[in-house]
Amino acid sequence: EAQVTQNPRYLITVTGKKLTVTCSQNMNHEYMSWYRQDPGLGLRQIYYSMNVEVTDKGDVPEGYKVSRKEKRNFPLILESPSPNQTSLYFCASSLPGQVFEAFFGQGTRLTVV
Amino acid sequence: AQKITQTQPGMFVQEKEAVTLDCTYDTSDQSYGLFWYKQPSSGEMIFLIYQGSYDEQNATEGRYSLNFQKARKSANLVISASQLGDSAMYFCAMREATGELIFGSGTRLLVRP
């Protein structure tokens, strides 16, 4: 089954404790991205990657890191989480080009206390 | 300026009636794609419908259709014969040449029995 898998689904952590949210897709998609969803703001892109070893900042990259060492994986790293990073996070993947829809993971609800 | 604007934070519709969710966009690209996603209360993002900027016909997918007015830069989603299961958050999104998928702030639709 074609899918994007994020882990964990839920996470509560403390300020400053490094964490990684994993994202893996099995569709051989070149394009992967991370979004955060906050009430009233929709989904805002954090980082995206157009292929292996190619990553770029989205609209809200501060406080986040990513890596793309393999095509299928695109982890999101919070080196020193803060409460304002409490949010619902989505990973998405797609083929490149404007015509292709993005496939989303199930989301990770992160709370930083 | 916002690239995607959804001016209706919330909407009600009676079951079995049609409803239009508004979306306007801003781009200087000639080639772009427009998408609608549904997010039920369970949180996952479900792709509904796509419209390409060069498509002359409005896209349709079952009960969903996209009212594409290029000159007005609007891409409204029309849901016909609303069902209780249509109650959800709906997001309009645009993909430009960069590949980035930009979302609006969403419209929460509630279908009344």
Side-chain angles (χ1 to χ4, degrees):
Chain A
E1 182 190 351
Q3 60 185 4
V4 179
T5 304
Q6 287 179 236
N7 279 297
R9 292 287 312 277
Y10 302 92
L11 180 60
I12 301 174
T13 190
V14 296
T15 299
K17 185 177 181 183
K18 181 179 178 180
L19 66 92
T20 300
V21 184
T22 63
C23 174
S24 181
Q25 50 95 2
N26 62 2
M27 295 169 278
N28 204 35
H29 285 165
E30 287 90 346
Y31 191 93
M32 296 186 75
S33 54
W34 276 102
Y35 294 86
R36 62 177 288 173
Q37 182 181 0
D38 302 289
L41 297 176
L43 279 77
R44 294 178 293 166
Q45 192 171 63
I46 303 170
Y47 269 94
Y48 64 98
S49 168
M50 301 190 83
N51 216 323
V52 176
E53 302 291 1
V54 180
T55 62
D56 279 296
K57 294 178 181 179
D59 296 323
V60 287
E62 295 77 21
Y64 304 95
K65 282 174 57 177
V66 292
S67 70
R68 187 90 183 272
K69 294 184 169 53
E70 311 162 277
K71 201 171 189 179
R72 64 183 293 128
N73 295 325
F74 190 45
L76 178 70
I77 302 154
L78 285 72
E79 294 269 4
S80 183
S82 62
N84 64 13
Q85 292 178 296
T86 292
S87 188
L88 177 59
Y89 291 86
F90 284 100
C91 178
S93 77
S94 71
L95 291 168
Q98 294 99 310
V99 306
F100 298 107
E101 76 271 26
F103 292 81
F104 283 82
Q106 302 116 306
T108 295
R109 187 163 293 282
L110 172 66
T111 302
V112 183
V113 297
Chain B
Q2 292 231 11
K3 289 238 175 183
I4 297 283
T5 302
Q6 294 181 254
T7 57
Q8 307 151 312
M11 291 270 294
F12 288 98
V13 65
Q14 203 65 34
E15 193 179 7
K16 300 189 180 124
E17 292 185 350
V19 63
T20 298
L21 307 183
D22 294 341
C23 173
T24 58
Y25 60 92
D26 182 27
T27 182
S28 54
D29 283 10
Q30 294 302 307
S31 178
Y32 51 89
L34 297 158
F35 303 82
W36 277 92
Y37 284 83
K38 173 184 179 181
Q39 186 181 43
S41 57
S42 49
E44 71 267 34
M45 294 289 287
I46 302 167
F47 165 70
L48 293 179
I49 195 167
Y50 161 80
Q51 178 85 43
S53 57
Y54 290 117
D55 295 341
E56 295 190 353
Q57 301 234 348
N58 286 343
T60 60
E61 288 286 348
R63 294 186 298 109
Y64 304 110
S65 60
L66 202 151
N67 184 359
F68 181 46
Q69 297 187 43
K70 193 170 182 176
R72 298 178 61 182
K73 293 189 173 177
S74 76
N76 299 339
L77 177 71
V78 180
I79 305 174
S80 62
S82 297
Q83 301 172 357
L84 296 179
D86 294 334
S87 292
M89 197 78 171
Y90 289 83
F91 290 99
C92 178
M94 175 176 65
R95 175 165 261 169
E96 294 173 304
T98 58
E100 184 181 356
L101 190 60
I102 304 161
F103 284 83
S105 54
T107 296
R108 184 170 298 281
L109 178 67
L110 187 60
V111 180
R112 289 173 166 148

